[in-house]
Amino acid sequence: LQGKLEQLIESALPSLAPPFLTAPVVSGVTENTAHVVWNTNIRSYGSLNYATNAEFLATNEYTVDVSAGTAQETSHTVDLTGLLPNTTYHIQARSYVFPQVVGATPDTTFTTRAAAINASIVERANDGFTVAWQTDVPATSIVEYRNTVTGAVNRVSDAERVTFHSVKVENLPSGTSYSVSVSGETAGGNVLSSVDT
C-alpha cells in the first residue's frame, strides 16, 4: 500500500503547483552578516541560495545553499554569516512541499557594509590639520569635524574616488579641540566610514 501511495504521489507531482514566494527582504546588513525573510502562500520547506557577484557572473550559479529550518512554515528566515565586507551578493529564495516541485524567486542582490576606516591626523598646525586614511576600493573623501566646545560641525570633501586619502582642513582658530570622522562613497554607492578621532 505504501508503494502504491508513493507511485500515486510521484505521478501527480508534475501537475502540482509549487509554492508562491514573496520577494526576499534583506535587512540588518553588516560587514559580514545579513538577515533574509520571505513568505509562502502554503506551509513549505525553505532554503536560500547565494553567491558573490564574481562567482555568480563566472558560473551563473549559486555556490551556497542555506536551509531555513526543518519544519514547514509560511514565514521563512535565514541569517547569513561569514560574508565578505563591501561585497555584492546574489540571492535566491526557494520553497517546496515536495523536493520535485520547487518554487523560486528571481535573482536579487544586496551589498555588505564596508569595513571601518582607520584615519590618522598626520599633521597639525596652528590653524588646521591634515587627516589621512586608506580604503580597499576607490571612494570619495569626506572629513567632518566638530568643535568640542561649541558643537559646531563643518565638512570638507573631495569627489574624486581614490584609495589613498589625504585631506587638509585650514583656517581654524588656534588652540581649539576637534572631534574628526572620515567617510566616503564607492562607485557602487556603499558608504565607508570611520570612528571619531
Side-chain angles (χ1 to χ4, degrees), residues 28-44:
V29 179
T30 68
E31 294 174 31
N32 46 32
T33 63
H35 182 74
V36 185
V37 176
W38 72 96
N39 295 311
T40 50
N41 63 328
I42 57 174
R43 294 170 65 85
S44 57

Side-chain angles (χ1 to χ4, degrees), residues 85-151:
N86 196 34
T87 302
T88 298
Y89 282 88
H90 289 255
I91 61 172
Q92 182 185 63
R94 297 181 179 180
S95 291
Y96 62 91
V97 176
F98 301 103
Q100 298 91 332
V101 187
V102 179
T105 62
D107 181 65
T108 305
T109 61
F110 72 94
T111 303
T112 52
R113 292 177 61 90
I117 300 167
N118 291 316
S120 300
I121 307 299
V122 294
E123 182 185 354
R124 285 183 210 136
N126 288 337
D127 65 345
F129 61 88
T130 302
V131 60
W133 69 96
Q134 196 161 354
T135 53
D136 294 335
V137 294
T140 61
S141 305
I142 302 168
V143 174
E144 199 167 84
Y145 55 100
R146 182 179 61 84
N147 185 314
T148 58
V149 176
T150 66

Side-chain angles (χ1 to χ4, degrees), residues 1-85:
L1 183 61
Q2 180 68 29
K4 295 245 181 215
L5 184 59
E6 288 174 0
Q7 285 178 354
L8 183 62
I9 291 172
E10 283 181 16
S11 65
L13 283 176
S15 64
L16 295 177
F20 171 78
L21 290 73
T22 61
V25 176
V26 183
S27 63
V29 179
T30 68
E31 294 174 31
N32 46 32
T33 63
H35 182 74
V36 185
V37 176
W38 72 96
N39 295 311
T40 50
N41 63 328
I42 57 174
R43 294 170 65 85
S44 57
Y45 299 107
S47 66
L48 188 76
N49 289 2
Y50 71 93
T52 66
N53 188 55
E55 292 167 337
F56 190 79
L57 292 179
T59 64
N60 204 33
E61 293 181 2
Y62 302 95
T63 56
V64 183
D65 184 4
V66 181
S67 171
T70 57
Q72 290 183 328
E73 306 284 352
T74 56
S75 180
H76 307 269
T77 301
V78 170
D79 288 310
L80 300 178
T81 59
L83 304 178
L84 300 173

Side-chain angles (χ1 to χ4, degrees), residues 160-192:
E160 183 183 1
R161 288 190 171 89
V162 294
T163 54
F164 181 76
H165 309 258
S166 179
V167 176
K168 193 168 196 174
V169 179
E170 300 177 287
N171 302 318
L172 302 177
S174 61
T176 307
S177 293
Y178 290 91
S179 173
V180 180
S181 64
V182 302
S183 60
E185 188 175 308
T186 67
N190 211 1
V191 176
L192 318 176

